[in-house]
Amino acid sequence: MEVLVVGAGAMGRWAGETLTTEFEIAFADRDATAAASAADDVGGRTVALDTDETFDAVCLAVPITAAEAAIEAHANRADRAMIDVTGVMEGPVAAMRAYLPDRERVSLHPLFAPENAPGNVAAVVDATGPVTDAVLDEIGDAGNHVFETDPDEHDSAMETVQAGAHTAVLAYALAAEDVREEFATPVSEVLADLVGTVTDGTPRVYREIQESFEGADDVADAARRIADADGDAFEELYDEAGRRHRGEETDS
């Protein structure tokens, strides 16, 4: 079986490398040099973005904002299945249902940067079959933990684990003063490491996450509540934070 991977960036390369045991890989990207490099790494080949060829499966590894348009553009190249690894699910799943109603459809979100693989992979298995089963098996065999979800649960979770978390880390980085290393505390050291993780990437990826998912305003509102609180009010917020972390019910 052959898979066309659309997008030769980091996540497209991860998809090609992960699937290469079971599938033959072809890459298409508007950057022909990037496509050729990715293909060379997995022993695959390249095709033009507007190729007339068809494939057993098409795997879309494009930016979040390009996902739905890419599904429409490449639907006729997927003989049996389409998979996306774009990082958002509600829109892509709806688009795949519309443009590939009689084919296998799976939306995946690897919850890690490729250099940190393997890890957790969220999956909406919308229409299963032998091709997508083989894809999921390959991802699992590479050491990843694939777990099923639905588009609403996934996209809601991203408001917390991506948009909210990134906002908190970047806000700390922007607010922090330059201090001697000797002043570091266990908490500040962890935060500094997180700043390094978040900022050791490309702004475009994080921009798309912020534009695609809510969550930043909730973090800003919580920070303002803490900044404005004193005495008993602060202690109540501190206790509420602990209860939330333990999964206990809160009044707010």
Side-chain angles (χ1 to χ4, degrees):
M1 292 186 289
E2 188 172 26
V3 174
L4 170 63
V5 179
V6 179
M11 196 50 67
R13 286 172 173 265
W14 172 84
E17 292 167 359
T18 303
L19 299 178
T20 191
T21 301
E22 184 72 21
F23 296 89
E24 296 179 358
I25 308 297
F27 277 96
D29 193 289
R30 64 180 60 188
D31 183 342
T33 300
S37 175
D40 286 345
D41 286 345
V42 300
R45 65 189 182 99
T46 64
V47 298
L49 273 174
D50 59 352
T51 180
D52 293 328
E53 291 187 63
T54 61
F55 304 82
D56 293 291
V58 172
C59 177
L60 299 176
V62 299
I64 289 173
T65 51
E68 293 175 46
I71 289 167
E72 179 181 5
H74 296 282
N76 63 341
R77 299 184 177 97
D79 283 335
R80 301 171 64 187
M82 179 170 280
I83 304 103
D84 87 276
V85 292
T86 58
V88 66
M89 290 185 167
E90 186 173 356
V93 168
M96 284 191 284
R97 288 173 180 171
Y99 294 109
L100 301 99
D102 57 350
R103 279 157 283 180
E104 300 172 42
R105 304 180 300 275
V106 172
S107 183
L108 300 173
H109 186 184
L111 297 165
F112 49 83
E115 61 269 20
N116 296 323
N120 291 337
V121 180
V124 173
V125 183
D126 197 50
T128 189
V131 177
T132 52
D133 285 348
V135 167
L136 295 172
D137 286 345
E138 281 291 279
I139 293 172
D141 289 346
N144 299 286
H145 169 58
V146 181
F147 67 96
E148 290 199 37
T149 183
D150 61 65
D152 182 66
E153 181 186 40
H154 170 272
D155 289 0
S156 294
M158 292 308 105
E159 295 179 4
T160 293
V161 302
Q162 284 198 321
H166 300 164
T167 297
V169 172
L170 290 172
Y172 171 76
L174 293 170
E177 297 290 342
D178 185 20
V179 298
R180 283 165 40 191
E181 291 185 8
E182 291 91 338
F183 286 114
T185 69
V187 173
S188 72
E189 286 182 340
V190 170
L191 282 169
D193 288 342
L194 291 173
V195 170
T197 298
V198 171
T199 57
D200 186 24
T202 58
R204 177 185 58 79
V205 172
Y206 289 92
R207 172 183 173 176
E208 291 216 332
I209 289 170
Q210 294 301 111
E211 291 176 345
S212 299
F213 302 112
E214 298 179 357
D217 288 343
D218 290 340
V219 173
D221 290 343
R224 176 47 53 195
R225 289 172 64 199
I226 294 170
D228 291 344
D230 54 23
D232 291 343
F234 178 85
E235 292 192 13
E236 290 173 2
L237 289 175
Y238 182 92
D239 290 339
E240 179 185 338
R243 292 195 301 275
R244 285 179 176 272
H245 177 67
R246 294 188 295 271
E248 300 172 3
E249 291 187 5
T250 63
D251 294 332
S252 59

